[in-house]
Amino acid sequence: MTSSWVPGPELARQLHAECPDACILFQSVRDDAGALLDFQATALNPAAEALVKGLSPGPSPGRSLSSWAGALRGLPERSALGRVVDSGTPLSFEVHGRLDGAERWFRARALRRGDGFSLWLSDITDVFAERHVLREELHKERAARAREEHLRLALETARMVTWEWSEARLTLVWSPNAEAFFGHPPGGLGDTLESFLERVLPGEWTRVAEAFLQGLCAEGPYTFQFRAPWPDGTQRCYELVGQTYRENGRPTRMLGVVMDCTERERSQAALREAEERYRLVSWATNDVLWDWNPSGEHIHWGEACRTVFGYASEEMGGISWWEQQLHPDDRELVLRSLEHVLGSGGESWLAEYRFRRKDGTYVHVLDRGLVARDAQGRTARMIGSMMDITERKRAVERMQEEAQFRERFIGILGHDLRNPLNAIMLSARQLRRRDTLSTVQQLAQRIDASAARMGNMISDILDLTRARLSGGIPLHLAPTSLPAVCRQVVEELTVAHPGRDILVEAEGGGDGIWDPERLAQVVSNLVGNALEHGEREGPVFVRCRDEAGQQVLEISNAGTPIPGHLLATLFDPFRQVGAARSGRGSGLGLGLFIVRELVEAHGGQVTVRSTEEEGTTFTVMLPRDARALDRGGSGVLPEEAHTG
């Protein structure tokens, strides 16, 4: 490997004379076959020598081209410089390096010289800096234009414009699309606040002007709405949002946007109309409307739930809460029917069940729902209504009871009342045929017993008729002593049942406002029931006492307990536990029914407890004053004398 050319001092002086710029001579380094291996620096002019001394790191003459790449960044590849030597075509480029601790830029030009090239370096750092500044400014300008374009597109897409008002100019500046936004030709919007107010709906001028003044004094963002007419005669709704800026506490500038909210207002108006229609339908039908997404727990309830169930809308829970309000006897069947509709692809659901109100009582409801499904057939939503059919159920039950009552009543009139009447007629005929005294006494006794039984039947039937068809048994209220009534009834029954023990025990005064005749009927029926069905030789206890502001009456007897399956219907009409021994009652099974009706007419309640160990006890609870619940009877003044 040889270097074919070494320049001397004379060539260096020529280089310096030709150009004051730095110049470095590079000679080709080739192998024996003439292939280019590298370039080696062989000479530098004075400017290049000064440059080399300041470069960091600084290459020295005689070093290869690759060693210069660390000092002058941006040098071309060896192959590119080889083409300069081979073809004689100059090559221009830029390099930079750290000179005396500062970054400097040079315009470089490689020119062929013999079997090498001369590298001329011109310092363009100042030019490069200016060019860099220009590039930065151009970049900023392009970025600003891009942001403006993005803002313009965003404003057009969002249907809004920007505005600015300044105290210094007293002008209102709008974004370029403002005229088209408000439906005006170019220049038709004006540049003052007054000209803008002229474009607002006339009836809203004062309100909008006051809103601007309030915004001028506001500390933070403010907003208001207004309407403006369009040239085609339509009106559009706009919402203005602004912010006031201050200098030394004085407002000097306002900025903001105006949005076209016409479609939003139309949607909201349609939504309000739909909600109002939904609410009116709920009120008109008195149905509880509900909306449930089966994928979640929440149920949206209509406003009628307060009227029907006693709950406010926010008190009504989700699907789990609804399940807990179902009557235990209905829950399994209702849930099974709902699951079947949801799982089988059904479109509608119908169920009738009992639902618990807020006060703990149950109402009968008819629940109807429609199922909405997605494209895959999955349940997406379910909407329905719950109708209170309690009164309808009661009306149906009353109709059924009345039909049964009429059938029983006709049967009684046609059969049961005929038997004692026949006995009276036969006894009367025998009296005419026989004249012995003993026979007359026996027949007379039979006539008396039959007639009494017939009278009891008629009384019971009349009370039943009043209770079922006339709105209740009427009461004639007066100050009454319950212990006195009990003793009077017991005296009468003792005469009719000689040899039986009927014991009266009274604690407290036992005074109240009741119907004494009806209370006597209650005591008579209950004591008579104990004598007829209780243990033959056992005593009957009649106890009166005060308890928590109420009067308690208990009739108890020993004997065979009442079967448990009969207790639930014991007070229903035409119910008889067993055959009576004396036949003193009406025989219709109305005694306990009439007891319950009379007690409830006084605002009280009657219950029964019957066990093998304790016997049978009927308990009557009465309020002290029954006038508040008197249903059509006549009351008396408190100063009237007690009855008993």
Side-chain angles (χ1 to χ4, degrees), residues 43-225:
L44 296 85
N45 69 356
E49 292 177 355
L51 174 66
V52 170
K53 292 179 181 178
L55 285 175
S56 177
S60 58
R63 298 190 65 180
S64 64
L65 178 66
S66 59
S67 67
W68 287 79
L72 294 175
R73 293 180 293 277
L75 283 174
E77 295 290 336
R78 184 179 60 203
S79 58
L81 294 172
R83 287 192 291 272
V84 172
V85 176
D86 295 338
S87 64
T89 303
L91 178 64
S92 298
F93 50 93
E94 292 180 358
V95 294
H96 62 97
R98 295 194 65 79
L99 183 65
D100 297 329
E103 192 76 13
R104 307 294 290 183
W105 287 81
F106 302 91
R107 179 181 295 110
R109 184 174 178 81
L111 302 174
R112 185 175 65 179
R113 185 178 290 273
D115 193 23
F117 65 91
S118 58
L119 179 63
W120 297 89
L121 299 174
S122 300
D123 192 335
I124 59 170
T125 302
D126 294 338
V127 176
F128 183 83
E130 293 177 0
R131 186 171 60 185
H132 180 72
V133 171
L134 291 175
R135 286 176 179 174
E136 288 293 327
E137 292 296 329
L138 181 60
H139 177 72
K140 291 180 180 179
E141 182 180 356
R142 290 175 177 173
R145 290 178 179 176
R147 287 194 297 270
E148 290 180 358
E149 180 65 14
H150 291 163
L151 178 60
R152 184 187 66 81
L153 294 175
L155 292 175
E156 290 181 357
T157 303
R159 296 191 59 79
M160 65 173 61
V161 295
T162 61
W163 60 272
E164 177 183 359
W165 177 89
S166 64
E167 183 188 30
R169 296 191 304 270
L170 296 179
T171 57
L172 193 61
V173 180
W174 296 91
S175 55
N177 61 330
E179 283 84 2
F181 179 78
F182 287 107
H184 293 285
L189 194 58
D191 60 355
T192 64
L193 183 59
E194 290 75 12
S195 62
F196 168 70
L197 291 176
E198 292 176 359
R199 306 299 186 271
V200 175
L201 199 67
E204 299 186 0
W205 289 350
T206 303
R207 181 179 63 81
V208 174
E210 291 176 351
F212 267 112
L213 292 177
Q214 292 174 1
L216 193 64
C217 301
E219 293 296 331
Y222 56 88
T223 180
F224 60 86
Q225 290 187 355

Side-chain angles (χ1 to χ4, degrees), residues 164-167 216 243-246 251-255:
E164 177 183 359
W165 177 89
S166 64
E167 183 188 30
L216 193 64
Q243 173 80 49
T244 301
Y245 296 89
R246 292 173 169 78
T252 58
R253 188 183 181 198
M254 290 193 296
L255 291 174

Side-chain angles (χ1 to χ4, degrees), residues 19 44 215 225 258 331:
C19 181
L44 296 85
Q225 290 187 355
V258 178
R331 184 177 298 135

Side-chain angles (χ1 to χ4, degrees), residues 223-350:
T223 180
F224 60 86
Q225 290 187 355
F226 63 92
R227 290 174 296 168
W230 270 49
D232 60 3
T234 61
Q235 293 182 5
R236 300 194 72 84
C237 183
Y238 301 95
E239 182 173 1
L240 183 144
V241 180
Q243 173 80 49
T244 301
Y245 296 89
R246 292 173 169 78
E247 293 182 4
N248 299 324
R250 180 179 178 181
T252 58
R253 188 183 181 198
M254 290 193 296
L255 291 174
V257 297
V258 178
M259 297 171 286
D260 188 339
C261 58
T262 306
E263 296 302 325
R264 185 186 68 189
E265 286 298 311
R266 289 174 180 171
S267 299
Q268 292 178 350
L271 179 60
R272 289 192 296 269
E273 183 179 353
E275 290 178 347
E276 180 67 11
R277 189 183 303 113
Y278 179 90
R279 184 176 60 85
L280 292 177
V281 168
S282 178
W283 282 1
T285 61
N286 201 31
D287 290 354
V288 178
L289 304 181
W290 51 266
D291 187 347
W292 173 48
N293 183 349
S295 63
E297 171 73 15
H298 177 70
I299 299 178
H300 175 76
W301 298 96
E303 297 179 0
C305 55
R306 183 184 294 275
T307 303
V308 179
F309 301 134
Y311 293 100
S313 299
E314 57 272 16
E315 294 178 312
M316 301 280 281
I319 188 66
S320 299
W321 178 87
W322 169 78
E323 293 177 3
Q324 294 303 315
Q325 310 314 308
L326 300 178
H327 193 282
D329 295 342
D330 302 336
R331 184 177 298 135
E332 182 180 356
L333 182 61
V334 172
L335 295 181
R336 190 162 58 243
S337 68
L338 179 60
E339 292 172 358
H340 174 72
V341 170
L342 296 177
S344 63
E347 297 181 353
S348 62
W349 175 67
L350 178 68

Side-chain angles (χ1 to χ4, degrees), residues 471-543:
I473 300 175
L475 302 179
H476 299 280
L477 303 178
T480 304
S481 172
L482 182 59
V485 171
C486 291
R487 293 188 184 98
Q488 178 182 343
V489 172
V490 167
E491 289 177 2
E492 296 172 357
L493 292 175
T494 301
V495 174
H497 296 79
R500 296 297 301 271
D501 293 330
I502 308 175
L503 306 178
V504 179
E505 300 175 0
E507 299 178 6
D511 297 330
I513 305 298
W514 304 301
D515 185 333
E517 294 297 327
R518 291 301 189 180
L519 281 190
Q521 188 175 356
V522 169
V523 176
S524 178
N525 283 1
L526 291 177
V527 175
N529 185 76
L531 292 171
E532 293 293 333
H533 300 285
E535 191 174 75
R536 184 183 296 272
E537 303 299 330
V540 176
F541 295 92
V542 180
R543 300 183 179 92

